């Protein structure tokens, strides 16, 4: 009877130990995932701020390019072209857009 009881106790101990390790492992994974996700989201915010600045630079460069083109025009067309450049809207092309999964 003692041997049977000892075997049952070992099985119980083993099962309890496995359950504990499984739970601990799950918690470690959850914490690791939460930290990785937080880092990823912070990177997204940093990149998004950088992208906004780059889009502004892009629009500025396109406006400068437009104004430089006015130097090639006859004098009587320059003012109208400068006004066109000033009023123009320069959107960033779709192939330069960054999409974030979350």
């Amino acid at each position: 009877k003692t041997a049977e009881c000892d075997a049952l106790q070992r099985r119980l101990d083993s099962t309890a130990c496995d359950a504990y390790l499984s739970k601990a492992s799950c918690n470690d994974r959850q914490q690791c995932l939460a930290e990785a996700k937080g880092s990823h989201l912070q990177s997204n915010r940093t990149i998004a701020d950088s992208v906004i600045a780059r889009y502004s630079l892009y629009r500025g460069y396109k406006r400068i390019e437009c104004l430089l083109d006015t130097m090639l025009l006859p004098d009587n067309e320059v003012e109208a072209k400068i006004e066109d450049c000033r009023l123009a809207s320069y959107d960033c092309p779709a192939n330069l857009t960054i999409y974030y999964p979350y």
Side-chain angles (χ1 to χ4, degrees):
K1 191 86 172 151
T2 303
E4 186 180 326
C5 189
D6 287 345
L8 195 55
Q9 184 63 46
R10 279 193 297 276
R11 202 168 99 204
L12 177 63
D13 289 347
S14 178
T15 303
C17 187
D18 289 346
Y20 172 77
L21 292 175
S22 175
K23 175 75 173 147
S25 176
C26 180
N27 285 341
D28 289 346
R29 279 187 297 213
Q30 293 301 324
Q31 181 180 352
C32 185
L33 178 62
E35 289 174 8
K37 186 175 180 180
S39 177
H40 177 74
L41 293 175
Q42 179 58 41
S43 293
N44 279 357
R45 285 189 289 273
T46 302
I47 292 168
D49 290 344
S50 179
V51 166
I52 290 168
R54 298 279 165 90
Y55 285 172
S56 295
L57 285 172
Y58 176 83
R59 287 189 294 274
Y61 292 147
K62 293 305 279 184
R63 181 162 284 132
I64 290 169
E65 182 179 43
C66 182
L67 291 170
L68 288 174
D69 288 343
T70 64
M71 298 174 81
L72 302 174
L73 297 173
D75 290 340
N76 62 341
E77 296 177 23
V78 171
E79 281 204 38
K81 180 65 174 174
I82 288 175
E83 187 65 15
D84 289 346
C85 292
R86 191 180 73 75
L87 296 175
S89 175
Y90 301 99
D91 293 326
C92 194
N95 66 330
L96 297 180
T97 303
I98 297 176
Y99 298 98
Y100 304 94
Y102 54 85

